[in-house]
Amino acid sequence: MTVLTMAEVLLAEAEQIHDRPGHQPDLQTVRRLKAELAEKRIEPDSPAEYDQIGKVYEELQRHDAMALCLSGGGIRSATFGLGVLEALAGHDLLAEFHYLSTVSGGGYIGSWLSAWIRRDGREEVFKQLKATRQQIERRPGQPILIPDREPDPLHALRVDSNYLTPRLGLLSADTWTGAALYLRNLLMNWAVIGSFILAGVLLPRIAAALLGATPTPGIGWALIGVAALLVVAALAVAIANRPTWGRQNFGQTPFLRRDLAPFFVAALAWVFALRTGIVDPAYPPTLCPYIGASANFCTLLGLGGAVLAAVAWVIGAAPWRAPASLEGWRYRVGDGLATAVAGTIFGLVLAGGTLLYAAASYRFGYFAGIGALILGPLWILQGQVIAEAFLVGFRSAAVLGTDDREWLGRSAGWYAAAGIGWALFSAVVLVAPAAVAWLQDYYLPQLLASLGGVSGIVTAVLGKSPVSSFKSTAKTLPANVILAIAAPIFALVLVIGLSALAALILYGRPNAMDLQTALAGSWGWAIFWCVLLAVVGTITSYFVNVNRFSLHSVYRNRLIRAYLGASNPTHLESEPPPTLSLFTEFDRNDNLHLSKLWPDAPPDHRAFLHVLGMTLNVVSTRNLAWQERKAEPFTATALHCGSDRVGFRATADYAEDLSLGTAMAISGAAASPSMGYHSSPALAFLLALFNVRLGWWLGNPANEDTYRREAPKLGAWWLAQEMLGLTTDDKPYVYLSDGGHFENLGLYEMVRRRCRHIVLCDAGCDPNYDFEDLGNAVRKIRIDLGIEIEFPTLNLLRKRGEAQPESPYIAIGVVRYPEIDPASGRNCLGSILYVKPGLHQIEPADVRSYAAGALAFPHESTADQWFSESQFESYRALGRHIMTSAIEDPRVLQRPAPHTVPVIIEALRS
């Protein structure tokens, strides 16, 4: 099974959704284009591909597809969407749609409807939705009208309106089960994360113990030899891959592995060599017994640096194989001489640092050793930065000088970051615990513990709160500033605490945190514990599934029980089915495979193709234009799963036949370390640490080895990708989260599919009518798809407090597609019926009554996922009222029947 392109997916969808009674346009062109695509594979991003997708879009315009979009917003949007669905079904309009596009909370109710249709059939579901409030006729002599009972799948939603913990109360089993599951999963993740973090904290202590071992000068000279070889290797790689020498394919990852890493190890080797007795601690310093005076010492290192640089240049540049464009031997010799001079400068900087260390050793004893370990690599790496700066100056007038300057500038940035990062981390690990112990009489340990606890709680709470989302408005600034401060503070306190724990493990005493103890420690035991922790973390991560032992699994199971289990017919049986656990109240038959919704379903059990919108996180993207969004759209349907950039796979073959429940939960994974344009590096670390992870790792559709897997085999590596914000779309696994982290309305994919008429329900939390979700969707559609969308009457919508009875609930949008309509010779136009929850004081009495006590209604916080009966019914009734008022608008009723969706939109537009 090969990777499918977007063009192939769109054609396959068109063939499926239109090949049914009442929806049968001419499909010959669709099938011909499908055959052409299957026969001839075209290179991505090529002119042929653009021509191909253009033909597909032209064909899609002929089909006049219609879509219903239900936005994100948790149970609020799901319940409002329920009312919208009832109103559409009550006017026989639901069957007109070809696509159901959902995101996050809209996916709850969309999946509920899709599962119900798959089980009971399209006609039966639409009939029951239409008649939800009909009454049985009263027989003669009966004084009471008995209302008809609402459909069981709808009644089940009321029962589980508190779907996370259906039984409320501090002492309820559901509350304590949720707490126990969170703590269990947190402990399992800490067994993985904690092992590796603690192993990392041990590395500076291993270095300190090795530094304090003071082996013989012979070992010191061997270390210097190793350092010299590593420097030559690193410099040769850097020289060989500079643009001057015509090599352009050297990326940042190879640079880190083959250039920066060897140079950093060489810097550590030099620091260790200084502690082997090569440098005499007498003052003035000498290199005893080989070289006498400091001047001679500087001369020696300067010449040594020049020789090493020259050797590296000969190896890396290979001037005898240089391109002919490099101005002959004059240019090549000049470049070699400039490199040698830069090497001399590096040697002098190295000599200066060595002499400074010798003087510090004479005056400060063992403190100088710790200082050399912390600051030595920083000094040496900055020496390379200084040398490269002089090299740039010497060669500023040379051919290709601009390219070289940029290349060396990026190299200097990485060197500086590595040196400063090591200095800060090793100082926190080695010096901070000693400082805390020294100041314990001033209550510093207690203060740090309190500060760390408070900052951790603040980060965990605000990090998954709606106020931390990306917005440019000033009202979100305090929360984001608090997060930017709280997360690093907690990380700092955590590392200090783990360093103290490492000292306790190594030395057996809680107060063994002073610097002298670090130098006198056993490096053998330190290495043993470091390796042991790494092995334990690796083995644990093999058994602790990175997906199942996250908050996602708890959330997913309860969503499945509430929304997919609502239509499970076995729940109505008098005897519990064998699949239902009376103890946990979960039924494994509640869930359905996503592929079963369409290809394997009988024709009368299909209604529309359900498109669940997700976000493929690319926080570490190389596309600089995406530094704000940090995300790509990813969709899952009964036919295919994937995205335009990574390709698609057949759903039945993807992720072990992806289930509807998993897709629904991923689409609603609001809180995750990687959250598209909501992502923050500091926040990502803390959310992963506290296991506030609703996202999901799935195999990359572009990867032949992993696309069938529903989780990585070794989760620790991928958990680290989450914590450090390294998610991309070119690795074996991709990290998926809430579709709202890219686009929260489900509009993007429907415009891509060239839908001619779209009903769009925006039930996101937007009390001030900032239209953030709509603006985000329109902006990305214009940037990515080149399609303009206009909403001329959007300014007429009014928020609560400003709304009047005559204020509209809806606005009409115009989509200007780039394809040309053959009949008119103009661009094809699409239309959008935009529905927004509002309160105009003309709603049903019970809705206004609830609103009087809930001042945020109908935009209560998305964090509230526990709906009361009155809350549930108010949002449901409001959705039904708003959609009905649009359908029964006088301008619509004046039109001749039938009042189809296009007729309704056109009447309201006029």
Side-chain angles (χ1 to χ4, degrees):
M1 183 67 183
T2 58
V3 182
L4 300 176
T5 65
M6 175 58 75
E8 291 173 305
V9 167
L10 294 181
L11 290 173
E13 290 180 359
E15 182 180 28
Q16 289 286 331
I17 64 177
H18 293 294
D19 189 13
R20 56 178 173 149
H23 297 271
Q24 290 187 337
D26 182 9
L27 296 176
Q28 292 183 359
T29 306
V30 170
R31 288 165 180 152
R32 177 178 56 79
L33 288 173
K34 278 185 64 179
E36 291 177 0
L37 293 178
E39 292 175 2
K40 185 178 181 181
R41 307 300 298 181
I42 297 177
E43 289 295 322
D45 295 326
S46 64
E49 185 191 31
Y50 297 139
D51 179 65
Q52 183 186 78
I53 194 70
K55 293 179 180 178
V56 173
Y57 286 144
E58 289 175 358
E59 176 61 21
L60 293 181
Q61 289 289 358
R62 296 177 50 249
H63 295 172
D64 290 339
M66 289 192 287
L68 172 62
C69 300
L70 302 178
S71 78
I75 193 173
R76 181 190 62 250
S77 65
T79 311
F80 180 85
L82 171 62
V84 170
L85 292 173
E86 288 184 273
L88 291 170
H91 292 80
D92 296 320
L93 297 174
L94 203 51
E96 292 187 27
F97 295 102
H98 303 93
Y99 287 102
L100 173 64
S101 178
T102 66
V103 176
S104 194
Y108 301 175
I109 200 66
S111 299
W112 167 82
L113 181 61
S114 294
W116 188 12
I117 291 172
R118 178 62 181 86
R119 285 169 171 146
D120 289 358
R122 178 179 63 251
E123 299 301 328
E124 178 63 22
V125 170
F126 291 171
K127 176 183 176 182
Q128 292 199 47
L129 279 176
K130 182 177 181 179
T132 52
R133 288 300 181 188
Q134 289 182 346
Q135 293 182 329
I136 300 175
E137 292 185 1
R138 181 169 60 91
R139 296 178 182 176
Q142 288 184 332
I144 300 175
L145 288 174
I146 304 175
D148 189 15
R149 187 168 176 265
E150 63 186 0
D152 291 303
L154 200 157
H155 178 72
L157 294 183
R158 294 188 190 278
V159 173
D160 276 329
S161 62
N162 299 294
Y163 67 92
L164 291 175
T165 54
R167 291 176 179 82
L168 298 178
L170 182 62
L171 300 180
S172 74
D174 288 331
T175 301
W176 284 98
T177 298
L181 288 173
Y182 173 75
L183 290 175
R184 182 194 68 187
N185 294 344
L186 181 65
L187 290 175
M188 297 303 293
N189 276 270
W190 277 1
V192 178
I193 300 173
S195 299
F196 285 106
I197 294 179
L198 192 53
V201 168
L202 282 172
L203 292 177
R205 291 197 169 271
I206 293 173
L210 288 170
L211 199 66
T214 61
T216 62
I219 295 179
W221 287 109
L223 288 172
I224 289 177
V226 170
L229 291 175
L230 289 173
V231 166
V232 169
L235 290 179
V237 169
I239 293 168
N241 290 282
R242 274 169 30 203
T244 294
W245 300 98
R247 301 174 177 90
Q248 301 285 350
N249 318 338
F250 198 62
Q252 294 192 65
T253 300
F255 170 83
L256 297 177
R257 187 174 62 249
R258 296 169 53 192
D259 186 336
L260 181 58
F263 211 104
F264 181 80
V265 175
L268 283 177
W270 181 266
V271 172
F272 291 147
L274 297 183
R275 292 284 295 176
T276 60
I278 291 178
V279 174
D280 189 349
Y283 191 84
T286 60
L287 193 65
C288 180
Y290 304 97
I291 303 296
S294 299
N296 295 338
F297 176 58
C298 292
T299 302
L300 177 65
L301 285 188
L303 290 174
V307 171
L308 293 181
V311 171
W313 183 84
V314 171
I315 297 173
W320 55 88
R321 296 200 307 268
S325 61
L326 290 182
E327 299 181 356
W329 283 97
R330 178 190 296 180
Y331 173 83
R332 303 174 197 182
V333 171
D335 193 75
L337 290 176
T339 303
V341 173
T344 302
I345 294 170
F346 172 76
L348 294 175
V349 173
L350 184 62
T354 303
L355 295 175
L356 182 63
Y357 163 73
S361 297
Y362 175 75
R363 292 187 178 274
F364 302 109
Y366 69 87
F367 285 105
I370 294 294
L373 179 60
I374 295 173
L375 299 176
L378 173 61
W379 183 284
I380 296 170
L381 291 175
Q382 296 317 298
Q384 173 64 5
V385 172
I386 294 170
E388 288 183 349
F390 277 93
L391 176 64
V392 169
F394 295 149
R395 304 299 291 159
S396 60
V399 64
L400 297 178
T402 299
D403 292 341
D404 269 8
R405 284 195 295 274
E406 289 294 336
W407 198 97
L408 292 172
R410 178 62 60 90
S411 168
W414 275 112
Y415 272 79
I420 294 172
W422 168 260
L424 291 176
F425 180 67
S426 57
V428 170
V429 171
L430 297 173
V431 178
V436 171
W438 186 51
L439 296 173
Q440 59 184 340
D441 293 339
Y442 297 91
Y443 302 102
L444 184 59
Q446 295 87 337
L447 177 62
L448 278 177
S450 302
L451 192 61
V454 171
S455 60
I457 293 172
V458 167
T459 303
V461 172
L462 284 184
K464 58 183 179 180
S465 168
V467 300
S468 65
S469 63
F470 173 83
K471 291 184 181 180
S472 58
T473 52
K475 65 185 179 181
T476 63
L477 183 61
N480 290 331
V481 169
I482 292 171
L483 280 171
I485 296 172
I489 288 176
F490 180 83
L492 175 65
V493 174
L494 176 67
V495 173
I496 293 174
L498 289 177
S499 180
L501 177 61
L504 177 63
I505 292 174
L506 292 176
Y507 314 127
R509 304 190 307 277
N511 61 344
M513 293 184 287
D514 58 274
L515 301 180
Q516 191 170 6
T517 303
L519 286 172
S522 169
W523 58 268
W525 276 110
I527 293 176
F528 168 78
W529 278 107
C530 183
V531 173
L532 179 63
L533 286 168
V535 170
V536 168
T538 302
I539 295 175
T540 306
S541 70
Y542 183 82
F543 292 100
V544 177
N545 187 292
V546 70
N547 288 335
R548 296 193 186 101
F549 287 91
S550 70
L551 197 60
H552 176 104
S553 60
V554 178
Y555 166 72
R556 168 186 175 273
N557 291 344
R558 281 144 185 79
L559 279 178
I560 291 172
R561 177 175 61 186
Y563 286 92
L564 304 189
S567 58
N568 187 350
T570 60
H571 291 184
L572 305 178
E573 297 176 1
S574 57
E575 291 294 329
T579 56
L580 174 65
S581 170
L582 297 179
F583 183 67
T584 64
E585 299 180 342
F586 284 99
D587 188 336
R588 61 176 177 268
N589 282 343
D590 286 346
N591 203 358
L592 297 171
H593 285 292
L594 185 57
S595 62
K596 304 299 182 184
L597 296 184
W598 196 279
D600 298 333
D604 60 338
H605 286 244
R606 307 175 194 169
F608 24 63
L609 189 64
H610 188 179
V611 181
L612 292 113
M614 308 174 190
T615 294
L616 193 163
N617 287 271
V618 288
V619 179
S620 187
T621 178
R622 289 190 291 270
N623 186 341
L624 300 185
W626 288 5
Q627 290 181 96
E628 179 183 278
R629 64 171 67 180
K630 304 172 187 174
E632 304 169 10
F634 190 100
T635 59
T637 72
L639 302 176
H640 307 98
C641 296
S643 77
D644 185 23
R645 289 180 59 84
V646 301
F648 293 83
R649 298 284 182 172
T651 301
D653 297 326
Y654 184 65
E656 299 181 10
D657 198 356
L658 185 68
S659 73
L660 175 61
T662 298
M664 170 181 62
I666 295 173
S667 178
S672 295
S674 289
M675 298 189 292
Y677 65 95
H678 304 284
S679 297
S680 161
L683 181 60
F685 179 85
L686 270 297
L687 290 182
L689 186 66
F690 284 109
N691 202 30
V692 183
R693 301 170 46 245
L694 293 178
W696 197 262
W697 285 98
L698 288 179
N700 191 332
N703 191 294
E704 291 291 339
D705 298 325
T706 62
Y707 78 90
R708 293 181 183 274
R709 299 177 187 169
E710 59 90 27
K713 288 186 177 180
L714 193 63
W717 173 254
W718 303 101
L719 188 56
Q721 307 287 302
E722 282 186 69
M723 296 182 72
L724 302 178
L726 299 177
T727 53
T728 65
D729 60 3
D730 56 3
K731 296 178 179 177
Y733 293 89
V734 291
Y735 186 70
L736 305 178
S737 66
D738 194 309
H741 297 156
F742 177 81
E743 191 267 298
N744 199 39
L745 301 181
L747 179 63
Y748 185 99
E749 292 296 335
M750 297 303 99
V751 172
R752 190 207 293 273
R753 284 158 173 77
R754 298 308 193 260
C755 290
R756 189 62 62 92
H757 305 287
I758 300 172
V759 176
L760 172 59
C761 298
D762 180 2
C765 186
D766 186 16
N768 293 318
Y769 279 48
D770 296 325
F771 302 105
E772 181 196 1
D773 289 336
L774 181 62
N776 174 61
V778 170
R779 184 184 309 112
K780 286 177 177 171
I781 289 170
R782 181 192 302 121
I783 294 171
D784 297 351
L785 307 180
I787 297 172
E788 293 284 348
I789 302 179
E790 301 168 359
F791 286 89
T793 61
L794 198 64
N795 62 314
L796 298 179
L797 301 186
R798 292 287 183 267
K799 65 182 180 180
R800 177 171 177 169
E802 297 178 354
Q804 301 297 325
E806 66 273 10
S807 299
Y809 296 105
I810 58 101
I812 302 297
V814 178
V815 186
R816 301 190 182 278
Y817 289 115
E819 292 77 34
I820 302 300
D821 184 354
S824 65
R826 299 178 180 179
N827 288 84
C828 295
L829 296 180
S831 59
I832 300 175
L833 175 60
Y834 178 73
V835 181
K836 186 83 168 176
L839 191 68
H840 300 170
Q841 300 304 323
I842 56 173
E843 296 77 20
D846 60 319
V847 175
R848 281 180 282 167
S849 172
Y850 175 81
L855 298 182
F857 180 85
H859 294 279
E860 293 171 286
S861 172
T862 308
D864 180 10
Q865 294 291 290
W866 291 264
F867 266 30
S868 64
E869 180 182 20
S870 58
Q871 195 174 12
F872 180 93
E873 183 58 24
S874 296
Y875 278 99
R876 175 197 180 217
L878 180 64
R880 184 169 181 169
H881 166 77
I882 290 176
M883 196 70 244
T884 299
S885 65
I887 297 171
E888 297 180 354
D889 187 281
R891 290 165 292 185
V892 176
L893 298 179
Q894 290 173 3
R895 297 291 181 100
H899 294 152
T900 62
V901 171
V903 168
I904 292 170
I905 295 177
E906 181 58 34
L908 294 173
R909 188 212 310 271
S910 64

